[in-house]
Amino acid sequence: MWVTNLVTLCLLAMASSAEVKQLSSHATSLADTSSHLAFNLYHTLAKEKDLDNILISPVVVASSLGLVALGGKSSTASQVKSVLKADALKDEHLHTGLSELLSEVSDPVARNVTWKISNKLYGPSSVSFADDFVKSSKKHYKYDHSKINFRDKRSAINSINEWAAKSTDGKLPEVTKDVKNTDGAMIINAMFFKPHWDEKFHHKMVDNRGFLVSRSFTVSVQMMHRTGLYGFYEDKDNKLFVLNMPLAHKKSSVIFIMPYHVEPLERLEKLLTKDQLNTWTSKLQETAVAVSLPKVSMEVSHDLQKHLGEIGLTEAVDKSKADLSNISGKKDLYLSNVFHASAWEWDTEGNPFDTSIFGTEKLRNPKLFYADHPFIFLVKDNQTNSILYIGRLVRPKGDKMRDEL
């Protein structure tokens, strides 16, 4: 009997160890540095006037930067490492580490996540992609390559948007309406992300409410509601709430940061750093929380070219300085556009909820997290500590309701 038990214990131990994949040291270090990239890019985007929603995936941007390093030579390539804070890594370890990290955090089986990621490098019709570059970029970064002719600009843009729509099963109908710089290499990330909650919202607990974009502008949205036990912290000094909602398998979580009242998010964004996020999350306590979230979809596309330049990628984006000769064998390209586009769905779906706590003291007097006004959110991977997404919801899709006093 004891032999049977021993065998059973060994099998369970093997199964448990198989579930938690240990990343290489290169991937682990890049997971950490990609979180710096998250905040740097977010802050440059937040400076843009007339920009409502923000939605970027730092690990996908890091992967795209890896592609730039693969295609670059000399200081153009080394600058990528500086932006990623990965100067100490050998080129080979940079590419294998980024590839390993993105493959791990986007694994649909291990993480029970809907996250479709498609990447494409467009070049002008005159370019000839080098065979070694094509092979390596497919291997490490799963990039497709295509020439594009902008003589018929409308047709070229339609082609880009059709590819993005097809690769996301129609969830992302448009990447861009226009392309200003048509003489260089263009990176396109087209993605669809849908959180699957560790405990789902009941599909009948959805109704129409108002989302206050500002004190004078309200739109009608569907809101989904549920009460459960979540990591929660009220920062009374900064007048904000922090909520941690685990996604399926609890390998990642959505972290919400929301001010008490309707206000522009600049005040919160000034607080938003990696250290401050760690401080907030260290103070989370399991609490009964009545959560109300917008049940909406959002499609956001950013051209990150100038923003990458602002955080240190100055050569690759400069036509007179770029050396991307590994792409074509010639020093004839620069990074003219980096379209980073995502479709996102806030929905009720997830694992069955824990009914054993219903009607118990655990859910007595819940705190209220009512997300009916602009908030910041992050998807944080709990295994690697990388940030899969960072963004803000300022203006969801919806009809105008009324002017508030």
Side-chain angles (χ1 to χ4, degrees):
M1 185 71 175
W2 69 270
V3 174
T4 304
N5 290 339
L6 181 62
V7 171
T8 302
L9 287 171
C10 289
L11 289 172
L12 287 171
M14 289 171 65
S16 176
S17 63
E19 286 179 8
V20 182
K21 180 183 176 183
Q22 295 300 316
L23 297 182
S24 69
S25 60
H26 317 306
T28 301
S29 67
L30 287 162
D32 182 63
T33 59
S34 69
S35 63
H36 289 283
L37 178 67
F39 295 105
N40 288 342
L41 263 183
Y42 182 94
H43 285 299
T44 61
L45 280 164
K47 292 176 185 175
E48 276 198 17
K49 292 182 179 180
D50 303 321
L51 179 63
D52 293 323
N53 302 329
I54 291 176
L55 190 57
I56 50 175
S57 172
V59 289
V60 172
V61 175
S63 177
S64 296
L65 288 173
L67 181 83
V68 176
L70 191 67
K73 285 186 177 179
S74 60
S75 55
T76 299
S78 62
Q79 255 194 3
V80 173
K81 288 185 179 180
S82 296
V83 171
L84 291 173
K85 299 189 183 301
D87 301 87
L89 286 185
K90 294 179 180 179
D91 290 351
E92 177 188 352
H93 294 155
L94 175 74
H95 302 308
T96 58
L98 287 170
S99 176
E100 182 185 356
L101 174 63
L102 186 57
S103 295
E104 175 61 23
V105 298
S106 62
D107 185 331
V109 177
R111 279 167 167 70
N112 189 22
V113 66
T114 298
W115 192 7
K116 295 181 182 293
I117 305 170
S118 297
N119 302 306
K120 200 163 191 175
L121 178 69
Y122 284 97
S125 54
S126 59
V127 76
S128 294
F129 294 110
D131 290 342
D132 286 347
F133 172 78
V134 170
K135 184 178 179 181
S136 296
S137 59
K138 284 181 179 290
K139 174 185 175 183
H140 295 302
Y141 301 114
K142 298 178 182 176
Y143 260 77
D144 290 327
H145 311 77
S146 181
K147 298 180 183 182
I148 191 164
N149 191 336
F150 276 101
R151 286 184 181 177
D152 184 348
K153 197 173 186 181
R154 179 172 292 182
S155 176
I157 292 170
N158 286 342
S159 176
I160 292 169
N161 290 331
E162 286 169 7
W163 167 79
K166 185 177 180 180
S167 63
T168 57
D169 297 332
K171 299 293 185 178
L172 185 69
E174 184 177 88
V175 167
T176 185
K177 295 183 187 302
D178 191 21
V179 177
K180 293 180 181 178
N181 302 318
T182 60
D183 57 344
M186 184 191 315
I187 285 175
I188 312 278
N189 307 132
M191 294 168 284
F192 170 58
F193 188 91
K194 183 176 181 178
H196 292 253
W197 307 107
D198 184 58
E199 289 191 15
K200 65 183 179 181
F201 289 74
H202 197 291
H203 67 278
K204 290 186 178 180
M205 295 292 287
V206 177
D207 56 14
N208 291 320
R209 301 285 178 101
F211 186 97
L212 287 80
V213 176
S214 67
R215 290 185 178 276
S216 61
F217 190 80
T218 304
V219 297
S220 175
V221 299
Q222 285 195 312
M223 294 280 279
M224 51 191 185
H225 316 275
R226 80 176 312 273
T227 300
L229 296 175
Y230 297 108
F232 181 81
Y233 173 62
E234 180 180 356
D235 184 339
K236 294 180 179 178
D237 291 335
N238 291 305
K239 295 182 173 57
L240 59 87
F241 301 109
V242 181
L243 176 70
N244 182 304
M245 292 187 68
L247 299 183
H249 300 342
K250 296 186 177 180
K251 291 197 172 183
S252 57
S253 301
V254 182
I255 300 171
F256 297 91
I257 304 163
M258 185 178 71
Y260 283 177
H261 307 294
V262 183
E263 63 172 276
L265 291 175
E266 287 100 320
R267 181 179 68 83
L268 268 66
E269 288 167 341
K270 288 178 181 177
L271 300 171
L272 190 62
T273 64
K274 183 181 178 184
D275 289 342
Q276 182 61 65
L277 180 67
N278 290 339
T279 299
W280 282 327
T281 54
S282 70
K283 294 181 179 181
L284 293 170
Q285 292 187 342
E286 188 177 77
T287 307
V289 186
V291 178
S292 295
L293 294 177
K295 182 181 180 292
V296 294
S297 61
M298 55 193 292
E299 297 87 37
V300 183
S301 182
H302 304 290
D303 186 353
L304 298 180
Q305 193 245 22
K306 71 173 184 179
H307 301 291
L308 291 170
E310 288 175 15
I311 64 172
L313 195 77
T314 57
E315 286 201 13
V317 300
D318 189 324
K319 191 174 183 178
S320 64
K321 296 179 181 177
D323 184 352
L324 297 175
S325 51
N326 280 340
I327 294 179
S328 65
K330 300 177 183 177
K331 195 176 177 181
D332 57 351
L333 288 174
Y334 76 110
L335 194 59
S336 57
N337 301 275
V338 182
F339 287 110
H340 186 78
S342 294
W344 176 297
E345 284 187 5
W346 301 97
D347 206 344
T348 59
E349 294 178 20
N351 293 338
F353 30 73
D354 180 5
T355 57
S356 68
I357 62 172
F358 291 173
T360 68
E361 290 294 319
K362 289 183 178 181
L363 295 185
R364 271 284 188 90
N365 301 317
K367 299 288 186 181
L368 183 64
F369 189 90
Y370 191 73
D372 70 339
H373 56 280
F375 55 83
I376 297 168
F377 62 93
L378 307 94
V379 182
K380 191 167 185 288
D381 185 67
N382 297 326
Q383 181 184 343
T384 65
N385 285 322
S386 56
I387 295 175
L388 310 187
Y389 266 100
I390 182 170
R392 69 185 184 195
L393 182 62
V394 170
R395 184 169 180 169
K397 288 182 286 186
D399 295 329
K400 181 180 178 181
M401 290 182 67
R402 64 186 183 277
D403 291 331
E404 300 292 339
L405 295 176

Short mmCIF file of all heavy atoms in Angstrom, two decimals, residues 357-391:
data_model
loop_
_atom_site.label_atom_id
_atom_site.label_comp_id
_atom_site.label_asym_id
_atom_site.label_seq_id
_atom_site.Cartn_x
_atom_site.Cartn_y
_atom_site.Cartn_z
N ILE A 357 -19.26 30.67 -0.15
CA ILE A 357 -19.14 31.86 0.69
C ILE A 357 -20.39 32.73 0.65
O ILE A 357 -20.50 33.69 1.41
CB ILE A 357 -17.91 32.71 0.29
CG1 ILE A 357 -18.03 33.22 -1.16
CG2 ILE A 357 -16.63 31.93 0.48
CD1 ILE A 357 -16.95 34.22 -1.53
N PHE A 358 -21.34 32.38 -0.23
CA PHE A 358 -22.57 33.18 -0.30
C PHE A 358 -23.35 33.04 1.01
O PHE A 358 -23.52 31.95 1.55
CB PHE A 358 -23.45 32.72 -1.46
CG PHE A 358 -22.87 33.03 -2.82
CD1 PHE A 358 -23.47 32.54 -3.97
CD2 PHE A 358 -21.74 33.80 -2.95
CE1 PHE A 358 -22.94 32.84 -5.23
CE2 PHE A 358 -21.20 34.11 -4.19
CZ PHE A 358 -21.81 33.61 -5.33
N GLY A 359 -23.82 34.17 1.52
CA GLY A 359 -24.61 34.15 2.75
C GLY A 359 -23.78 34.00 4.00
O GLY A 359 -24.35 33.81 5.09
N THR A 360 -22.46 34.06 3.88
CA THR A 360 -21.60 33.92 5.06
C THR A 360 -21.09 35.29 5.52
O THR A 360 -21.27 36.31 4.85
CB THR A 360 -20.38 33.03 4.75
OG1 THR A 360 -19.52 33.72 3.82
CG2 THR A 360 -20.81 31.71 4.14
N GLU A 361 -20.44 35.29 6.67
CA GLU A 361 -19.87 36.52 7.22
C GLU A 361 -18.79 37.11 6.31
O GLU A 361 -18.52 38.30 6.35
CB GLU A 361 -19.28 36.24 8.60
CG GLU A 361 -20.30 35.96 9.68
CD GLU A 361 -21.17 37.19 9.98
OE1 GLU A 361 -20.60 38.30 10.02
OE2 GLU A 361 -22.38 37.04 10.14
N LYS A 362 -18.17 36.25 5.49
CA LYS A 362 -17.08 36.72 4.63
C LYS A 362 -17.51 37.81 3.67
O LYS A 362 -16.70 38.67 3.28
CB LYS A 362 -16.49 35.54 3.84
CG LYS A 362 -15.69 34.56 4.68
CD LYS A 362 -15.10 33.47 3.80
CE LYS A 362 -14.25 32.52 4.62
NZ LYS A 362 -13.64 31.46 3.77
N LEU A 363 -18.78 37.79 3.26
CA LEU A 363 -19.27 38.78 2.30
C LEU A 363 -20.09 39.89 2.95
O LEU A 363 -20.72 40.68 2.26
CB LEU A 363 -20.09 38.10 1.20
CG LEU A 363 -19.34 37.12 0.29
CD1 LEU A 363 -20.25 36.62 -0.82
CD2 LEU A 363 -18.11 37.79 -0.32
N ARG A 364 -20.04 39.95 4.29
CA ARG A 364 -20.78 40.98 5.00
C ARG A 364 -20.17 42.36 4.77
O ARG A 364 -18.96 42.51 4.75
CB ARG A 364 -20.77 40.69 6.49
CG ARG A 364 -21.89 39.81 7.01
CD ARG A 364 -23.19 40.62 7.09
NE ARG A 364 -24.25 39.91 7.74
CZ ARG A 364 -24.48 39.96 9.05
NH1 ARG A 364 -23.66 40.62 9.83
NH2 ARG A 364 -25.51 39.32 9.55
N ASN A 365 -20.99 43.37 4.61
CA ASN A 365 -20.57 44.76 4.50
C ASN A 365 -19.44 44.95 3.48
O ASN A 365 -18.34 45.41 3.83
CB ASN A 365 -20.11 45.29 5.86
CG ASN A 365 -21.20 45.20 6.90
OD1 ASN A 365 -22.36 45.51 6.62
ND2 ASN A 365 -20.84 44.76 8.10
N PRO A 366 -19.67 44.60 2.23
CA PRO A 366 -18.59 44.70 1.23
C PRO A 366 -18.22 46.16 0.94
O PRO A 366 -19.05 47.06 1.02
CB PRO A 366 -19.20 44.04 -0.01
CG PRO A 366 -20.68 44.23 0.16
CD PRO A 366 -20.93 44.12 1.63
N LYS A 367 -16.96 46.35 0.59
CA LYS A 367 -16.51 47.64 0.07
C LYS A 367 -17.10 47.80 -1.33
O LYS A 367 -17.42 46.82 -2.01
CB LYS A 367 -14.99 47.70 -0.01
CG LYS A 367 -14.29 47.55 1.33
CD LYS A 367 -14.46 48.79 2.18
CE LYS A 367 -13.62 48.68 3.45
NZ LYS A 367 -13.79 49.89 4.31
N LEU A 368 -17.21 49.03 -1.78
CA LEU A 368 -17.80 49.29 -3.09
C LEU A 368 -16.72 49.74 -4.07
O LEU A 368 -15.95 50.66 -3.79
CB LEU A 368 -18.87 50.38 -2.99
CG LEU A 368 -19.64 50.72 -4.28
CD1 LEU A 368 -20.45 49.52 -4.76
CD2 LEU A 368 -20.54 51.93 -4.06
N PHE A 369 -16.63 49.03 -5.22
CA PHE A 369 -15.76 49.45 -6.31
C PHE A 369 -16.64 49.62 -7.53
O PHE A 369 -16.94 48.67 -8.25
CB PHE A 369 -14.65 48.43 -6.57
CG PHE A 369 -13.60 48.92 -7.53
CD1 PHE A 369 -12.48 49.61 -7.08
CD2 PHE A 369 -13.73 48.70 -8.90
CE1 PHE A 369 -11.52 50.07 -7.96
CE2 PHE A 369 -12.78 49.16 -9.79
CZ PHE A 369 -11.67 49.86 -9.32
N TYR A 370 -17.08 50.86 -7.73
CA TYR A 370 -18.06 51.16 -8.77
C TYR A 370 -17.36 51.96 -9.87
O TYR A 370 -17.15 53.16 -9.76
CB TYR A 370 -19.23 51.94 -8.17
CG TYR A 370 -20.42 52.08 -9.08
CD1 TYR A 370 -21.25 50.99 -9.34
CD2 TYR A 370 -20.72 53.30 -9.69
CE1 TYR A 370 -22.35 51.11 -10.17
CE2 TYR A 370 -21.82 53.43 -10.52
CZ TYR A 370 -22.63 52.33 -10.76
OH TYR A 370 -23.72 52.45 -11.61
N ALA A 371 -16.97 51.25 -10.94
CA ALA A 371 -16.13 51.85 -11.98
C ALA A 371 -16.98 52.54 -13.04
O ALA A 371 -17.04 52.13 -14.19
CB ALA A 371 -15.25 50.78 -12.61
N ASP A 372 -17.59 53.65 -12.63
CA ASP A 372 -18.44 54.41 -13.56
C ASP A 372 -17.77 55.71 -13.99
O ASP A 372 -18.43 56.63 -14.47
CB ASP A 372 -19.79 54.72 -12.91
CG ASP A 372 -19.69 55.73 -11.77
OD1 ASP A 372 -18.57 55.90 -11.22
OD2 ASP A 372 -20.71 56.36 -11.44
N HIS A 373 -16.44 55.79 -13.82
CA HIS A 373 -15.69 56.96 -14.26
C HIS A 373 -14.27 56.51 -14.59
O HIS A 373 -13.87 55.38 -14.28
CB HIS A 373 -15.71 58.06 -13.19
CG HIS A 373 -15.22 57.65 -11.85
ND1 HIS A 373 -15.99 56.94 -10.93
CD2 HIS A 373 -14.01 57.82 -11.22
CE1 HIS A 373 -15.30 56.73 -9.83
NE2 HIS A 373 -14.09 57.25 -9.99
N PRO A 374 -13.47 57.35 -15.26
CA PRO A 374 -12.17 56.91 -15.79
C PRO A 374 -11.27 56.26 -14.76
O PRO A 374 -11.19 56.69 -13.60
CB PRO A 374 -11.57 58.22 -16.32
CG PRO A 374 -12.75 59.03 -16.74
CD PRO A 374 -13.80 58.73 -15.71
N PHE A 375 -10.56 55.20 -15.22
CA PHE A 375 -9.64 54.46 -14.35
C PHE A 375 -8.47 53.94 -15.16
O PHE A 375 -8.51 53.86 -16.39
CB PHE A 375 -10.35 53.31 -13.64
CG PHE A 375 -11.05 52.32 -14.55
CD1 PHE A 375 -10.35 51.28 -15.16
CD2 PHE A 375 -12.42 52.43 -14.80
CE1 PHE A 375 -10.99 50.38 -16.00
CE2 PHE A 375 -13.07 51.53 -15.64
CZ PHE A 375 -12.35 50.50 -16.24
N ILE A 376 -7.41 53.59 -14.44
CA ILE A 376 -6.22 52.97 -15.02
C ILE A 376 -6.28 51.48 -14.71
O ILE A 376 -6.77 51.08 -13.65
CB ILE A 376 -4.94 53.59 -14.41
CG1 ILE A 376 -4.86 55.08 -14.77
CG2 ILE A 376 -3.68 52.88 -14.90
CD1 ILE A 376 -3.80 55.84 -13.98
N PHE A 377 -5.77 50.65 -15.60
CA PHE A 377 -5.74 49.21 -15.33
C PHE A 377 -4.46 48.59 -15.90
O PHE A 377 -3.87 49.10 -16.84
CB PHE A 377 -6.98 48.51 -15.91
CG PHE A 377 -7.10 48.62 -17.40
CD1 PHE A 377 -6.59 47.64 -18.23
CD2 PHE A 377 -7.73 49.72 -17.98
CE1 PHE A 377 -6.70 47.74 -19.62
CE2 PHE A 377 -7.85 49.82 -19.36
CZ PHE A 377 -7.33 48.83 -20.18
N LEU A 378 -4.06 47.50 -15.28
CA LEU A 378 -2.91 46.73 -15.74
C LEU A 378 -3.26 45.26 -15.67
O LEU A 378 -4.02 44.82 -14.79
CB LEU A 378 -1.67 46.96 -14.86
CG LEU A 378 -1.19 48.37 -14.60
CD1 LEU A 378 -1.78 48.90 -13.29
CD2 LEU A 378 0.34 48.41 -14.50
N VAL A 379 -2.72 44.47 -16.60
CA VAL A 379 -2.76 43.02 -16.48
C VAL A 379 -1.35 42.58 -16.10
O VAL A 379 -0.41 42.77 -16.87
CB VAL A 379 -3.20 42.33 -17.78
CG1 VAL A 379 -3.27 40.81 -17.58
CG2 VAL A 379 -4.55 42.87 -18.24
N LYS A 380 -1.22 42.02 -14.91
CA LYS A 380 0.09 41.66 -14.39
C LYS A 380 0.19 40.14 -14.31
O LYS A 380 -0.70 39.46 -13.79
CB LYS A 380 0.30 42.27 -13.01
CG LYS A 380 1.72 42.20 -12.46
CD LYS A 380 1.85 43.11 -11.24
CE LYS A 380 3.29 43.16 -10.74
NZ LYS A 380 3.72 41.91 -10.09
N ASP A 381 1.27 39.60 -14.85
CA ASP A 381 1.51 38.16 -14.79
C ASP A 381 2.10 37.82 -13.43
O ASP A 381 3.12 38.39 -13.03
CB ASP A 381 2.46 37.73 -15.91
CG ASP A 381 2.64 36.22 -15.95
OD1 ASP A 381 1.66 35.53 -16.28
OD2 ASP A 381 3.74 35.75 -15.64
N ASN A 382 1.47 36.90 -12.72
CA ASN A 382 1.89 36.60 -11.35
C ASN A 382 3.12 35.71 -11.28
O ASN A 382 3.79 35.65 -10.25
CB ASN A 382 0.73 35.97 -10.58
CG ASN A 382 -0.45 36.91 -10.45
OD1 ASN A 382 -0.27 38.12 -10.33
ND2 ASN A 382 -1.66 36.37 -10.49
N GLN A 383 3.44 35.00 -12.35
CA GLN A 383 4.61 34.13 -12.35
C GLN A 383 5.88 34.90 -12.70
O GLN A 383 6.90 34.77 -12.05
CB GLN A 383 4.42 32.98 -13.34
CG GLN A 383 5.60 32.01 -13.37
CD GLN A 383 5.43 30.92 -14.42
OE1 GLN A 383 4.33 30.67 -14.90
NE2 GLN A 383 6.52 30.27 -14.77
N THR A 384 5.79 35.73 -13.74
CA THR A 384 6.99 36.42 -14.21
C THR A 384 7.07 37.87 -13.74
O THR A 384 8.11 38.52 -13.90
CB THR A 384 7.02 36.44 -15.76
OG1 THR A 384 5.91 37.22 -16.23
CG2 THR A 384 6.91 35.02 -16.32
N ASN A 385 5.96 38.39 -13.18
CA ASN A 385 5.86 39.79 -12.77
C ASN A 385 5.93 40.76 -13.95
O ASN A 385 6.15 41.95 -13.76
CB ASN A 385 6.92 40.16 -11.72
CG ASN A 385 6.57 39.61 -10.35
OD1 ASN A 385 5.40 39.60 -9.97
ND2 ASN A 385 7.56 39.16 -9.62
N SER A 386 5.80 40.25 -15.15
CA SER A 386 5.76 41.13 -16.31
C SER A 386 4.37 41.75 -16.43
O SER A 386 3.38 41.22 -15.90
CB SER A 386 6.11 40.36 -17.59
OG SER A 386 5.24 39.26 -17.76
N ILE A 387 4.30 42.88 -17.12
CA ILE A 387 3.03 43.55 -17.34
C ILE A 387 2.58 43.23 -18.76
O ILE A 387 3.23 43.61 -19.72
CB ILE A 387 3.15 45.07 -17.11
CG1 ILE A 387 3.48 45.32 -15.63
CG2 ILE A 387 1.86 45.79 -17.49
CD1 ILE A 387 3.76 46.77 -15.30
N LEU A 388 1.48 42.51 -18.85
CA LEU A 388 0.99 42.07 -20.15
C LEU A 388 0.26 43.21 -20.88
O LEU A 388 0.36 43.32 -22.09
CB LEU A 388 0.05 40.88 -19.99
CG LEU A 388 0.56 39.71 -19.13
CD1 LEU A 388 -0.41 38.54 -19.21
CD2 LEU A 388 1.96 39.29 -19.54
N TYR A 389 -0.45 44.01 -20.12
CA TYR A 389 -1.12 45.19 -20.66
C TYR A 389 -1.11 46.31 -19.63
O TYR A 389 -1.11 46.05 -18.42
CB TYR A 389 -2.59 44.90 -21.02
CG TYR A 389 -2.81 44.50 -22.46
CD1 TYR A 389 -2.97 43.16 -22.81
CD2 TYR A 389 -2.87 45.45 -23.47
CE1 TYR A 389 -3.19 42.79 -24.13
CE2 TYR A 389 -3.10 45.09 -24.79
CZ TYR A 389 -3.25 43.76 -25.11
OH TYR A 389 -3.45 43.39 -26.43
N ILE A 390 -1.10 47.53 -20.11
CA ILE A 390 -1.32 48.70 -19.26
C ILE A 390 -2.16 49.67 -20.08
O ILE A 390 -1.97 49.81 -21.29
CB ILE A 390 0.02 49.34 -18.81
CG1 ILE A 390 -0.24 50.53 -17.86
CG2 ILE A 390 0.86 49.78 -20.00
CD1 ILE A 390 1.02 51.06 -17.19
N GLY A 391 -3.13 50.30 -19.42
CA GLY A 391 -3.99 51.18 -20.17
C GLY A 391 -4.89 52.01 -19.27
O GLY A 391 -4.79 51.98 -18.04
#
